[in-house]
Amino acid sequence: MPSASAVLSLPTIPGQDQIFPVASLVSTNIVETQLERRFHALVEEWRNERGPTSSITEMVACPSYRAIIALGKPAIPLILAEMIHRPDYWFAALRELTGANPVRPGHRGDLDAMTRDWILWGLQTHLITTV
Amino acid sequence: MKHGLFPLLTSTNHHIASLRDRRYNCVAWAVCETTRWWQPVDDGYWPPNIPRIDELASYLSLFQHRGFVPCANVDFESGFEKVAIYATRLGTFKHVARQCSNGEWTSKLGVCEDIVHDTPHVLEAGSYGYVTHILKRRIPTSGQGLLSAVLYHFTRLFHRIVGRS
């Protein structure tokens, strides 16, 4: 298994969303298929619902985004796994659900760097691992 | 682009100029950056010398710090670059578009594509509200102004000819 630092130093490939190798959830027993289905449906709904807004504030105020937060802590590993494959503005949801904020101040605004900070946090807290 | 979001946008007054990209927004694009999302909120980049408050005044301050001053209209002016700031009737910042050196305008549509559009007004009356502030600053490079003016008038002439055919 590669080290966390090796995984996190991988560059983004232009035109591709995934910035990390395939990851899996460690505690799959806490994630039910029904929850996963609901989560992924809400993710797609959010991507359509947010439209062309220039504001992260408006993005995270979308009902579908709030519904993802309302799924509670079981959504945390799902969000982290989603971030690995398609980095997006999940930081507000993760802060709200975890109470943590591992993003370094110099990374604010940098989607890839903020995603790496959260993935590293996910690895350190054993919510995700590489395979 | 969904018609309801931008009711004035037509196939003849704009074209898509990039792939979708979630990494930067209209403000970043207005300052010619494509690697960060510029917004005065927790998850956005914002210059340290400008108040990190998500209000229209902060966006105006950003451009003023970059040398822009208020201006009367969106017409092309040789030797100047312009930005058009969009807000709601209640004064909530919604968008900013930048004038290209050929007189056309360019916008990054949130997490979607960049577009090139004829005028700032084609993005009004929908998701982005209305143009409330027009700002300009002098382009420092001498000689570029004349080239820009020629390019601008050539582009306008070309569009007029193509539009008639």
Side-chain angles (χ1 to χ4, degrees), chain B residues 60-76:
Chain B
L60 293 171
S61 180
L62 170 72
F63 287 101
Q64 283 161 3
H65 271 80
R66 299 177 73 89
F68 285 87
V69 295
C71 119
N73 59 59
V74 298
D75 296 342
F76 178 77

mmCIF file of all heavy atoms in Angstrom, chain B residues 60-76:
data_model
loop_
_atom_site.group_PDB
_atom_site.id
_atom_site.type_symbol
_atom_site.label_atom_id
_atom_site.label_comp_id
_atom_site.label_asym_id
_atom_site.label_seq_id
_atom_site.Cartn_x
_atom_site.Cartn_y
_atom_site.Cartn_z
ATOM 1 N N LEU B 60 -16.123 45.264 -5.008
ATOM 2 C CA LEU B 60 -15.749 46.566 -5.561
ATOM 3 C C LEU B 60 -14.369 46.967 -5.052
ATOM 4 O O LEU B 60 -13.531 47.483 -5.810
ATOM 5 C CB LEU B 60 -16.794 47.619 -5.183
ATOM 6 C CG LEU B 60 -18.180 47.438 -5.804
ATOM 7 C CD1 LEU B 60 -19.189 48.405 -5.188
ATOM 8 C CD2 LEU B 60 -18.110 47.635 -7.319
ATOM 9 N N SER B 61 -14.120 46.697 -3.781
ATOM 10 C CA SER B 61 -12.824 47.019 -3.186
ATOM 11 C C SER B 61 -11.701 46.235 -3.869
ATOM 12 O O SER B 61 -10.611 46.775 -4.119
ATOM 13 C CB SER B 61 -12.872 46.706 -1.691
ATOM 14 O OG SER B 61 -11.650 47.001 -1.082
ATOM 15 N N LEU B 62 -11.983 44.961 -4.177
ATOM 16 C CA LEU B 62 -10.980 44.133 -4.861
ATOM 17 C C LEU B 62 -10.536 44.794 -6.168
ATOM 18 O O LEU B 62 -9.329 44.926 -6.444
ATOM 19 C CB LEU B 62 -11.569 42.742 -5.157
ATOM 20 C CG LEU B 62 -10.742 41.851 -6.075
ATOM 21 C CD1 LEU B 62 -9.491 41.355 -5.355
ATOM 22 C CD2 LEU B 62 -11.559 40.660 -6.569
ATOM 23 N N PHE B 63 -11.506 45.209 -6.962
ATOM 24 C CA PHE B 63 -11.158 45.789 -8.267
ATOM 25 C C PHE B 63 -10.545 47.182 -8.118
ATOM 26 O O PHE B 63 -9.663 47.566 -8.894
ATOM 27 C CB PHE B 63 -12.378 45.787 -9.192
ATOM 28 C CG PHE B 63 -12.711 44.402 -9.686
ATOM 29 C CD1 PHE B 63 -13.741 43.669 -9.120
ATOM 30 C CD2 PHE B 63 -11.938 43.800 -10.673
ATOM 31 C CE1 PHE B 63 -14.019 42.374 -9.542
ATOM 32 C CE2 PHE B 63 -12.211 42.506 -11.103
ATOM 33 C CZ PHE B 63 -13.246 41.785 -10.530
ATOM 34 N N GLN B 64 -11.006 47.921 -7.127
ATOM 35 C CA GLN B 64 -10.398 49.238 -6.885
ATOM 36 C C GLN B 64 -8.936 49.087 -6.486
ATOM 37 O O GLN B 64 -8.082 49.859 -6.929
ATOM 38 C CB GLN B 64 -11.193 49.992 -5.814
ATOM 39 C CG GLN B 64 -12.494 50.576 -6.375
ATOM 40 C CD GLN B 64 -13.525 50.914 -5.306
ATOM 41 O OE1 GLN B 64 -13.266 50.776 -4.119
ATOM 42 N NE2 GLN B 64 -14.698 51.341 -5.741
ATOM 43 N N HIS B 65 -8.638 48.062 -5.670
ATOM 44 C CA HIS B 65 -7.247 47.802 -5.294
ATOM 45 C C HIS B 65 -6.401 47.418 -6.503
ATOM 46 O O HIS B 65 -5.180 47.548 -6.471
ATOM 47 C CB HIS B 65 -7.176 46.690 -4.247
ATOM 48 C CG HIS B 65 -7.274 47.186 -2.843
ATOM 49 N ND1 HIS B 65 -8.483 47.513 -2.250
ATOM 50 C CD2 HIS B 65 -6.326 47.436 -1.912
ATOM 51 C CE1 HIS B 65 -8.266 47.938 -1.014
ATOM 52 N NE2 HIS B 65 -6.972 47.900 -0.782
ATOM 53 N N ARG B 66 -7.041 46.914 -7.526
ATOM 54 C CA ARG B 66 -6.318 46.512 -8.735
ATOM 55 C C ARG B 66 -6.299 47.634 -9.783
ATOM 56 O O ARG B 66 -5.964 47.385 -10.947
ATOM 57 C CB ARG B 66 -6.918 45.228 -9.304
ATOM 58 C CG ARG B 66 -6.821 44.054 -8.314
ATOM 59 C CD ARG B 66 -7.468 42.793 -8.843
ATOM 60 N NE ARG B 66 -6.668 42.181 -9.884
ATOM 61 C CZ ARG B 66 -5.710 41.284 -9.660
ATOM 62 N NH1 ARG B 66 -5.425 40.914 -8.434
ATOM 63 N NH2 ARG B 66 -5.042 40.760 -10.670
ATOM 64 N N GLY B 67 -6.693 48.820 -9.355
ATOM 65 C CA GLY B 67 -6.538 49.983 -10.223
ATOM 66 C C GLY B 67 -7.757 50.358 -11.041
ATOM 67 O O GLY B 67 -7.689 51.261 -11.881
ATOM 68 N N PHE B 68 -8.882 49.686 -10.814
ATOM 69 C CA PHE B 68 -10.093 50.007 -11.571
ATOM 70 C C PHE B 68 -10.816 51.188 -10.927
ATOM 71 O O PHE B 68 -10.843 51.328 -9.703
ATOM 72 C CB PHE B 68 -11.032 48.803 -11.607
ATOM 73 C CG PHE B 68 -10.593 47.709 -12.549
ATOM 74 C CD1 PHE B 68 -9.708 46.722 -12.129
ATOM 75 C CD2 PHE B 68 -11.058 47.663 -13.859
ATOM 76 C CE1 PHE B 68 -9.299 45.709 -12.998
ATOM 77 C CE2 PHE B 68 -10.649 46.659 -14.726
ATOM 78 C CZ PHE B 68 -9.773 45.683 -14.296
ATOM 79 N N VAL B 69 -11.423 52.007 -11.784
ATOM 80 C CA VAL B 69 -12.214 53.141 -11.314
ATOM 81 C C VAL B 69 -13.579 53.088 -12.006
ATOM 82 O O VAL B 69 -13.717 52.476 -13.073
ATOM 83 C CB VAL B 69 -11.518 54.488 -11.633
ATOM 84 C CG1 VAL B 69 -10.211 54.625 -10.866
ATOM 85 C CG2 VAL B 69 -11.293 54.642 -13.135
ATOM 86 N N PRO B 70 -14.590 53.699 -11.397
ATOM 87 C CA PRO B 70 -15.919 53.681 -12.020
ATOM 88 C C PRO B 70 -15.896 54.290 -13.413
ATOM 89 O O PRO B 70 -15.123 55.220 -13.692
ATOM 90 C CB PRO B 70 -16.769 54.529 -11.062
ATOM 91 C CG PRO B 70 -16.080 54.421 -9.756
ATOM 92 C CD PRO B 70 -14.614 54.356 -10.081
ATOM 93 N N CYS B 71 -16.759 53.789 -14.265
ATOM 94 C CA CYS B 71 -16.816 54.300 -15.625
ATOM 95 C C CYS B 71 -18.252 54.307 -16.118
ATOM 96 O O CYS B 71 -19.120 53.643 -15.548
ATOM 97 C CB CYS B 71 -15.843 53.491 -16.463
ATOM 98 S SG CYS B 71 -16.376 52.570 -17.804
ATOM 99 N N ALA B 72 -18.523 55.094 -17.142
ATOM 100 C CA ALA B 72 -19.908 55.406 -17.517
ATOM 101 C C ALA B 72 -20.580 54.326 -18.349
ATOM 102 O O ALA B 72 -21.794 54.145 -18.267
ATOM 103 C CB ALA B 72 -19.935 56.734 -18.269
ATOM 104 N N ASN B 73 -19.839 53.624 -19.175
ATOM 105 C CA ASN B 73 -20.500 52.701 -20.097
ATOM 106 C C ASN B 73 -19.599 51.513 -20.430
ATOM 107 O O ASN B 73 -18.424 51.487 -20.035
ATOM 108 C CB ASN B 73 -20.898 53.434 -21.383
ATOM 109 C CG ASN B 73 -19.698 54.033 -22.074
ATOM 110 O OD1 ASN B 73 -18.769 53.330 -22.434
ATOM 111 N ND2 ASN B 73 -19.699 55.356 -22.247
ATOM 112 N N VAL B 74 -20.170 50.548 -21.154
ATOM 113 C CA VAL B 74 -19.433 49.310 -21.467
ATOM 114 C C VAL B 74 -18.771 49.382 -22.846
ATOM 115 O O VAL B 74 -18.245 48.378 -23.329
ATOM 116 C CB VAL B 74 -20.371 48.085 -21.401
ATOM 117 C CG1 VAL B 74 -20.940 47.914 -20.005
ATOM 118 C CG2 VAL B 74 -21.474 48.178 -22.451
ATOM 119 N N ASP B 75 -18.819 50.554 -23.463
ATOM 120 C CA ASP B 75 -18.223 50.694 -24.798
ATOM 121 C C ASP B 75 -16.724 50.424 -24.750
ATOM 122 O O ASP B 75 -16.050 50.744 -23.772
ATOM 123 C CB ASP B 75 -18.453 52.107 -25.344
ATOM 124 C CG ASP B 75 -19.934 52.387 -25.547
ATOM 125 O OD1 ASP B 75 -20.715 51.415 -25.595
ATOM 126 O OD2 ASP B 75 -20.297 53.582 -25.636
ATOM 127 N N PHE B 76 -16.221 49.878 -25.847
ATOM 128 C CA PHE B 76 -14.787 49.625 -25.941
ATOM 129 C C PHE B 76 -14.031 50.954 -25.970
ATOM 130 O O PHE B 76 -14.401 51.878 -26.683
ATOM 131 C CB PHE B 76 -14.490 48.827 -27.210
ATOM 132 C CG PHE B 76 -13.028 48.555 -27.412
ATOM 133 C CD1 PHE B 76 -12.384 47.574 -26.679
ATOM 134 C CD2 PHE B 76 -12.290 49.288 -28.331
ATOM 135 C CE1 PHE B 76 -11.035 47.325 -26.856
ATOM 136 C CE2 PHE B 76 -10.947 49.043 -28.518
ATOM 137 C CZ PHE B 76 -10.315 48.061 -27.785
#
